[in-house]
Amino acid sequence: MLITDDFLPVPVPESLTATYLVPMVGLPKVGTKTAVRALAGRLAEPVHGLATQMLDSPLMSVDTRPVAEFPALPPDLLTAFGAGQAQLDRLAAATHLVVVQAEYRPGWPPAHEWAARAVAAAVAESAGGDVVDVFGLQFLDPATALRSLPDEQGRIRLVDWVLVPYSSDAEGLWFTTKGLRRFGLLELQTQGVPDHLTRAWGAVLTGAARRLLRAWTDGLAGDEVPAFVQLPVLATVTGHDIAVAYGNPEQHGATAPVLLRLELDPATDPDADSFLSLRPPPGHPGPDGRYFAAACATLFDGIAPDVRYARPGDAMSRAIATARAGLDDVRARFLAGRLPAESQLVVKYGLPGDEGPEYVWAGVTSWDAPERIVGASASDAGTDPAVRIGAPVVVEAADVVDWAVLGATGVIEGGWTQAVLDAGEAPA
């Protein structure tokens, strides 16, 4: 086995198992094979054929058992991962569970996951019920489960298979992935992420998962399953990785790549999970959180450090007027939680300088008073040494010249002044 400073050997499990449950009242009225045949023409190949073949092989089992034979699924965790009350009520009323399990070797395609999810969705659809993904502790309605399976080109959205939960501690946010072990790879984690990067870092970690999963499956492409796969110690993440992971490859921008260092964090408890930790590359000065903020600023349009000084111009004046006219509305939507899911609101404001105002961006964390915005700086200011990436800032609404709602692949709404600058209509 080759071990160098450039690669990290990650152990490969001998086999992988997928488990899905279908809660129902009474016994199934439609046979499993009949339910799967009903998906013909609706499910892309080779998934439909794969599900049919595995159903007829020892690699898959489908059993119906009384609910009492199973440990109770934790409703608090199911709720945390998106379960609705109606789904929880149907689970509580269920008398039986259809258990779909499949086993396969690590590699691509992940036949155990694709086939088991397809079969479970077929059973649930025939019974008018739900699918429970045991690994992710998620409820899936049959249509959602089927949409998550590969299309005609074999493409999937990684966000349908890998979640990114997080929690808070004294050092900031602790992010982990939950789903990479479906494919045999250790889960990723990042610690010390600034609080204002909740949505942005979740997207970055998803993009990193996509890049590393590709390297992982490339290492498993041979006929024999190796004991280890060598992953690069320095992982490159781009806007394209994030866009593809979210199923929007055409929306990625030409962003600069970001480097993250991969470290193995083995569990000390034999019953606990080991992780692959993502940290700044060697030689980065300062706390990890500052590098993570800079990485987000690089990867997402609209929050890159903007030290350009916009001179007055008709296009810029119109852009600022448009942004300011929409401040009250975007504040109301921010407070009501009506901005798009997994998005981040940022504002652009001016700092006084000898050569005129310097315009910088900040992520909004709270906006209780209409005249005052509390946030965290998304860039280092050249005119004020106290304004650094990740540092808390208080912005007067009167100083705001622009705002934007950012999604995983860039600006969803707003960013009018940035568009003028990028078009070169206002010299800098």
Side-chain angles (χ1 to χ4, degrees), residues 147-166:
R147 280 197 303 271
S148 71
L149 294 166
D151 62 13
E152 292 78 5
Q153 285 75 46
R155 299 172 300 189
I156 62 168
R157 296 192 331 152
L158 193 60
V159 291
D160 292 330
W161 298 88
V162 177
L163 306 175
V164 185
Y166 64 90

Side-chain angles (χ1 to χ4, degrees), residues 91-224:
L91 176 62
T95 61
H96 291 76
L97 293 174
V98 178
V99 185
V100 181
Q101 286 191 313
E103 183 177 355
Y104 203 64
R105 56 162 278 177
W108 200 265
H112 59 299
E113 283 287 350
W114 289 357
R117 184 173 285 198
V119 171
V123 172
E125 187 176 71
S126 69
D130 306 299
V131 176
V132 180
D133 171 12
V134 173
F135 182 92
L137 280 178
Q138 272 192 303
F139 271 94
L140 303 170
D141 64 77
T144 299
L146 293 173
R147 280 197 303 271
S148 71
L149 294 166
D151 62 13
E152 292 78 5
Q153 285 75 46
R155 299 172 300 189
I156 62 168
R157 296 192 331 152
L158 193 60
V159 291
D160 292 330
W161 298 88
V162 177
L163 306 175
V164 185
Y166 64 90
S167 59
S168 181
D169 59 26
E171 297 181 357
L173 298 177
W174 173 35
F175 282 80
T176 62
T177 60
K178 185 175 179 59
L180 289 177
R181 283 195 296 114
R182 301 178 189 273
F183 312 105
L185 181 57
L186 296 178
E187 302 291 357
L188 306 181
Q189 71 171 359
T190 314
Q191 295 175 293
V193 178
D195 290 347
H196 73 286
L197 297 178
T198 302
R199 295 182 178 91
W201 193 255
V204 173
L205 201 56
T206 304
R210 183 258 176 185
R211 174 60 66 99
L212 290 170
L213 182 59
R214 184 169 184 175
W216 173 255
T217 54
D218 285 348
L220 297 171
D223 293 334
E224 299 294 329

Side-chain angles (χ1 to χ4, degrees), residues 16-19 54 59-61 100-104 111-113 115-116:
L16 300 171
T17 302
T19 304
M54 290 193 74
L59 296 174
M60 178 179 286
S61 63
V100 181
Q101 286 191 313
E103 183 177 355
Y104 203 64
H112 59 299
E113 283 287 350

